[in-house]
Amino acid sequence: MTIDKLEQYYGISSGIEAIEQEIATLYNPISSPAGKTDGSFSSTPGDPTARTAMRIIQLREKLEQERERLMDLAEEIEQWLTTVSDTEIVSIIRWHYLLRCNWRVTNLKVYGYPDYFYSRQKVIAYFKRES
């Protein structure tokens, strides 16, 4: 396992959240057809509802692909975590990468006080020792 893989999990998870948010915003009703941007009107009305529906379908497909990638990576991380004997590292990895807490919150959860650097440095030192 590498920090890059853990960061990849964090990024995929964040991307999934963004796609879900984009889908939610696309469900807002569209009030008027799209016209030309130069102020003139088109003789054929646009079909924003159909375009929006197609975009939602595309996003849902992308969302499903990303969820599969996330689950595969989560399984790989979980397998690796069972081999880590340092319980502090396991806790830090779970809070920061799997649950996506920032470093300050992660340190608060693991050590009881908010600090940006301590947990982060602990993970970096662990991976340097392992390599």
Side-chain angles (χ1 to χ4, degrees):
M1 186 58 55
T2 64
I3 289 179
D4 289 339
K5 271 210 171 166
L6 294 171
E7 291 290 340
Q8 183 180 15
Y9 180 91
Y10 197 100
I12 293 169
S13 183
S14 178
I16 287 172
E17 187 177 329
I19 292 170
E20 289 171 341
Q21 182 66 37
E22 188 175 351
I23 290 170
T25 60
L26 287 171
Y27 276 109
N28 289 337
I30 298 172
S31 59
S32 65
K36 292 185 179 180
T37 58
D38 63 2
S40 64
F41 294 99
S42 174
S43 61
T44 56
D47 190 359
T49 304
R51 283 195 313 271
T52 301
M54 292 306 295
R55 179 73 179 137
I56 289 171
I57 290 168
Q58 291 170 345
L59 285 172
R60 286 194 182 279
E61 289 170 359
K62 177 71 174 167
L63 183 62
E64 188 57 36
Q65 292 169 357
E66 291 299 300
R67 283 184 176 153
E68 286 178 26
R69 280 183 57 203
L70 187 70
M71 293 308 293
D72 291 343
L73 195 51
E75 189 175 315
E76 185 179 339
I77 292 169
E78 286 296 334
Q79 290 284 328
W80 171 74
L81 282 175
T82 62
T83 67
V84 176
S85 59
D86 188 335
T87 56
E88 288 177 19
I89 293 297
V90 172
S91 292
I92 292 168
I93 302 263
R94 286 193 188 283
W95 282 109
H96 181 69
Y97 294 103
L98 298 178
L99 297 175
R100 295 181 47 223
C101 293
N102 65 40
W103 286 114
R104 196 174 298 274
V105 171
T106 298
N107 205 78
L108 180 64
K109 297 287 188 180
V110 177
Y111 298 107
Y113 63 95
D115 185 276
Y116 175 81
F117 296 102
Y118 190 74
S119 292
R120 185 173 173 266
Q121 294 296 50
K122 191 109 171 148
V123 168
I124 291 169
Y126 176 81
F127 279 105
K128 281 184 182 176
R129 277 194 316 266
E130 292 299 310
S131 61

